[in-house]
């Protein structure tokens, strides 16, 4: 391995201290602390800059999910990201001492304490930080991803999945949303309720529909609106979302799969979107765990 190429620390230039929970360590011993998201690539905008023509401008990222999970996501790079010697084809949860390789750059992922120990240690702080808020919940996943990716070689599968996730993530963030979790072949994003957010959601749906029309890959989108509970330590990473309406959104995704629907919007979300986007009825259906019928909508 050639580990002599210069690496650039985060914008603040701060190395990981021993008390921090997780970090990347290069073969040369340089340490990079892990917060909410750490981007690796050739671009100067990345927190870890890798100066090699084989490295994409935004090559990969490490994304913190909830309390203590870190996931590696390849962003559709041409030459791939390897985890413990195998090319990453979908977002992968990292474990202590995992080895990451991008071109000739090698890193070791370190996590100081198991999540269960951190939860016990930080219980009082976590309780204080729990809050309830109205949120927009958007779930998306690839259609028949297992069969689709099985027909491809590892490099093709990794590129397809990574580029799709990167494009969707850019759409969400351009419209001021947050990708909360990567789910293997999909993701969960959310927006807190605030003035103007409904228009941003409408823009997100339209942009995702444009991507859907290319059908590379085919994917589903569901959108719901309702109260959610967020807890954990948001200053260190993404908040962990929970509550009955979050569960409802995941049940909507299952319903969309059964119906073969590319886009499904709950009635609660549709009522708020009416001034900003045209929606058409998509029927009434039951949701697992709920007794009543619910109305759903879609784009024309």
């Amino acid at each position: 391995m050639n580990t002599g190429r210069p690496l650039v620390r985060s914008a603040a230039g701060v190395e990981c201290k021993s008390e921090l929970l997780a970090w990347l360590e290069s073969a040369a011993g340089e340490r990079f602390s892990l917060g909410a998201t750490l981007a690796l690539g050739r671009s100067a905008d990345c927190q870890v800059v890798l100066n090699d023509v084989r490295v994409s401008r935004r090559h990969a990222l490490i994304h913190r999910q909830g309390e203590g999970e870190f996931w590696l996501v390849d962003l559709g790079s041409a030459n791939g990201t390897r985890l413990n010697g195998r090319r990453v084809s979908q977002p992968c949860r990292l474990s202590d001492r995992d080895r990451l390789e991008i071109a000739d750059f090698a890193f070791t992922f370190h996590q100081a304490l198991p999540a269960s120990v951190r939860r016990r240690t930080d219980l009082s702080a976590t309780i204080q930080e729990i809050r309830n808020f109205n949120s927009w919940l958007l779930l998306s996943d690839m259609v028949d991803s297992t069969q689709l990716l099985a027909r491809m070689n590892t490099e093709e599968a990794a590129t397809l999945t990574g580029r799709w996730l990167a494009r969707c993530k850019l759409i969400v963030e351009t419209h001021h949303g947050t990708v909360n979790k990567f789910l293997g072949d999909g993701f969960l994003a959310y927006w807190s309720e605030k003035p103007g957010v409904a228009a941003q959601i409408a823009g997100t749906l339209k942009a995702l529909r444009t991507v859907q029309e290319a059908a590379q890959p085919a994917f589903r989108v569901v959108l719901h609106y309702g109260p959610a509970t967020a807890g954990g330590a948001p200053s260190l990473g993404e908040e962990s979302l929970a509550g009955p309406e979050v569960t409802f959104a995941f049940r909507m995704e299952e319903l969309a799969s059964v119906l073969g629907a590319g886009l499904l919007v709950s009635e609660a979300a549709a009522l708020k979107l009416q001034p900003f986007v045209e929606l058409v009825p998509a029927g009434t259906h039951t949701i697992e765990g709920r007794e009543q019928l619910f109305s759903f909508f879609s784009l024309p």
Side-chain angles (χ1 to χ4, degrees), residues 10 36 50 56 64 68 85 89 122 128 160 209 249 260 263 272 295:
S10 65
L50 307 177
S56 299
R64 180 176 176 135
S89 59
D122 297 332
Q128 292 175 0
L160 178 71
R209 171 54 66 88
L263 175 67
K272 288 186 162 290
S295 296

Side-chain angles (χ1 to χ4, degrees), residues 8-11 37-50 57-58:
V8 178
R9 295 180 177 82
S10 65
T37 299
L38 182 80
L40 302 94
R42 206 173 69 249
S43 171
D45 294 332
C46 294
Q47 285 83 13
V48 180
V49 179
L50 307 177
R57 289 183 57 77
R58 285 182 59 83

